[in-house]
Structure formats: structure tokens, C-alpha cells
Amino acid sequence: MSTHRRRFHRTTLALAAVLWVPALLAPALAVAQPAWPTKPIRLVVPFAAGGTTDILARALAPELQRALGQPVVVDNKPGAGGNSGSTEVAKSPADGYTLLMGTVGTHAINAALYPKMPFDPVKDFVPITLVAGVPNVLVMNPAFAQKHGIHNVADFITAAKANPGKFNFASSGNGTSIHLSGELFKSMTGTFMVHFPYRGSGPALIDLIGGSVDLMFDNLPSALQQVKAGKLKALAVTSAKRSDAIAELPTIAEAGGPALKGYEASSWFGLMAPAGTPVEVISRIQQETAKALVSPALKERLLSQGAIPGGGSSAEFASFIAAESKKWAQVVKISGAKVD
């Protein structure tokens, strides 16, 4: 063999080795990649501490932490009816380490209520799973109810009509179901009350108990203990059916007479991730959440607070959100609610 041919042969073998080594190592490198998660996970609550969104996130976080083997840290980012915290998550890396406890407000109401949204609730997020659905409950400061002789929903309608613009109702923020429950009540009964939006149910409840505001259509889990303690007077729940957690309370549709026939305004809460988050990560979170929600301890805890556990698939949650968006767009239109 000539010198030229031997050199060519050696060069060809060397090049083949260079090309084959990465191919041979690729499976080993893939196996060596650490499985998600390898660091703490941040669960953003787009409202202040003390409300139902926060309560559910803090109930679920320890269960996910045990299942995933990494800390799950709840981070409250209130503002703009949940839009501030939701926007932060939408712009976060799609790696599974930043999640959102989304709500009916952030993902089904706000798009119809706000003239301009800082994020797209459909394109910017991947729904993971529904965590829980809850009714709202019409609650009042007891002294306010006593002063105006309000014992039930019919009394409230009479008093509100006799005092147009003199009553006010608090909410956890513009665009929340708590806000829209009040707006729908106003439009169906022909009453007028002033809306005071807060940065979450927690601070709103403090002012309601203290008498700074008159009433609220709060999520049942955050108001229930205050009702049982006698710090708030409850008149009715906003769901189509009574809640097992407080079965003695009628629904607003039951108690409000013909004007409120068909009234329904319930809330829901679910896990979301930034768009582009790997499918396997979404699947893992959904599966572990579903397991947690059927565990006896957490399930009983949620039911006792008036929350109905979820846990369905990502696709089921996406379909549910689409239907809810259509429903609440109609409620916004009927109520005439606006946010500048």
C-alpha cells in the first residue's frame, strides 16, 4: 500500500471514530440527565394570603412536596384581579419550576372584563389540572345586618332597594368570581351597591369583620370559619345546589324569589404552567395532584371547607376552561361590569 493510501486510510478511521463516539455516548448522556424536579418549585398565588386561592395552594403544596421530593414554595403575588401574578408566571421559563394556582377570574373572567390583558390565558398557559370547585357565600357584617333588619336574601333586596348606592360590597379583586357574583346579583335584582376591590379575600374579610365594608360574596372556604365563629352573618350560597359544608344555607336562587331564578356563580381553582412546559412534567404534576386530592386527609379537609376536589386530566381542564370562559363572558355582558 502506498504512503498516500495509508495516510488516507488512517484519516478515514480517525474521522469515523470522531463521528461514532458522540453517537455511542448519546444514550449514556440521556440516561445521566437528572429527572425533573431537581430544585424547589414555586407555586404562585396571584392573590393575598388568607383567601381560598391561598388556602388551597398551602393545602396542596406539602402533598406535592412529599410526592416530588423537592420543596414546593407558595409565593403570593397579588394585584390587578390576579393578573399581576399570572403575568409573572406566563413570562417565566417553561421548565416546570414555576407554576400558578389559576382561578376562574384569571382564566375565564378577566379576558371579558378587562379592555386589555397583559397575558393570553389560552396561548400563554398549559392547564395541568382542576384542583377544586367552590361555591361563594353571601356574608355580611352582623352589626350591618342587624341595623337594617336583614335576616335573609329577601330582606337584603328590600333594604338595598331602599338605600340605593349606600351599601357597599367587598371583593378579592376586579374580575374575580367574588366581584362578578355581586355584579350579577345587582343586575338581576335592580339594586345598586358600590364595589370595593381588595388584593385578596384575606384583607377584604378583615375589613368586613371590622365593619369597614358591609357585605361580600366570598369563596366559602375562606369565609366558613368566620361564619361558624359568629363573626359574619351568612345568608345564602351562590351555587346551583346547597353546599354539604353548610347545608342549612339556601342557595341565592332558592331564597331570592323570581328575580334571582337561575342565579349561579361558583368559583374554581387549578394548576397552570407556562406554555411550552414539557408534556412529561405536566403529566407528572397532574398525576401527583390527582393522587393527593383523593387521599383521605386532604379530601376530607377540602370537603369540610366546602371545596369539591378535582384532579382530572390536562385536556379535561382545558375543555372546562373553554366552557367557563363562554359562560362568564355572558355574565360580564349581562351584568354590565367594567374595569377601566
Side-chain angles (χ1 to χ4, degrees):
M1 184 183 293
S2 68
T3 302
H4 175 74
R5 292 184 65 185
R6 283 198 298 271
R7 287 176 179 171
F8 177 78
H9 186 64
R10 285 197 297 268
T11 302
T12 302
L13 290 175
L15 180 59
V18 169
L19 293 173
W20 274 100
V21 167
L24 291 170
L25 288 177
L29 290 172
V31 173
Q33 291 294 326
W36 179 94
T38 60
K39 62 182 181 179
I41 298 162
R42 185 167 68 115
L43 176 53
V44 173
V45 169
F47 297 97
T52 297
T53 319
D54 184 66
I55 290 170
L56 291 174
R58 294 183 188 278
L60 180 61
E63 303 294 329
L64 289 180
Q65 182 167 310
R66 279 191 286 272
L68 298 173
Q70 290 289 342
V72 177
V73 181
V74 176
D75 189 6
N76 297 87
K77 295 287 183 178
N83 282 351
S84 296
S86 300
T87 302
E88 183 173 326
V89 176
K91 294 180 179 179
S92 296
D95 54 11
Y97 292 102
T98 303
L99 307 176
L100 176 74
M101 183 64 83
T103 72
V104 61
T106 61
H107 282 73
I109 295 176
N110 286 359
L113 189 66
Y114 283 79
K116 187 176 181 181
M117 286 283 285
F119 65 92
D120 187 314
V122 176
K123 294 180 180 179
D124 292 341
F125 286 92
V126 179
I128 300 175
T129 189
L130 176 69
V131 173
V134 305
N136 294 340
V137 58
L138 172 54
V139 288
M140 295 183 172
N141 176 281
F144 167 81
Q146 184 176 18
K147 176 182 177 180
H148 294 281
I150 299 172
H151 303 286
N152 51 47
V153 175
D155 290 343
F156 173 42
I157 296 171
T158 300
K161 287 186 173 181
N163 296 275
K166 294 182 181 179
F167 293 174
N168 60 63
F169 74 101
S171 82
S172 54
N174 286 316
T176 59
S177 72
I178 297 172
H179 170 205
L180 266 292
S181 293
E183 295 293 349
L184 184 60
F185 185 94
K186 286 165 54 179
S187 68
M188 292 180 73
T189 58
T191 54
F192 175 65
M193 298 177 286
V194 179
H195 173 224
F196 286 174
Y198 284 73
R199 291 166 66 87
S201 284
L205 283 171
I206 290 172
D207 277 3
L208 179 59
I209 292 169
S212 298
V213 288
D214 303 328
L215 59 111
M216 189 174 175
F217 294 78
D218 194 28
N219 300 143
L220 184 56
S222 50
L224 187 58
Q225 292 306 116
Q226 306 300 336
V227 171
K228 290 183 175 180
K231 295 180 180 180
L232 292 176
K233 181 177 180 61
L235 298 186
V237 291
T238 65
S239 48
K241 297 180 180 180
R242 294 192 182 201
S243 169
D244 290 341
I246 189 164
E248 67 273 17
L249 276 190
T251 67
I252 285 181
E254 281 182 296
L260 289 167
K261 183 179 180 180
Y263 180 100
E264 181 185 2
S266 296
S267 299
W268 52 261
F269 308 82
L271 292 177
M272 312 278 184
T277 300
V279 173
E280 59 271 22
V281 172
I282 297 296
S283 179
R284 177 83 187 280
I285 299 170
Q286 185 275 324
Q287 290 171 13
E288 298 299 352
T289 301
K291 290 177 186 176
L293 291 173
V294 296
S295 66
L298 183 56
K299 183 178 180 180
E300 179 56 36
R301 180 178 175 182
L302 296 184
L303 290 173
S304 69
Q305 294 176 328
I308 308 300
S313 71
S314 174
E316 289 170 338
F317 191 25
S319 296
F320 175 73
I321 293 172
E324 284 286 287
S325 297
K326 291 181 65 175
K327 167 190 165 182
W328 283 102
Q330 281 296 109
V331 172
V332 170
K333 183 178 180 180
I334 291 169
S335 70
K338 294 180 180 178
V339 175
D340 298 326

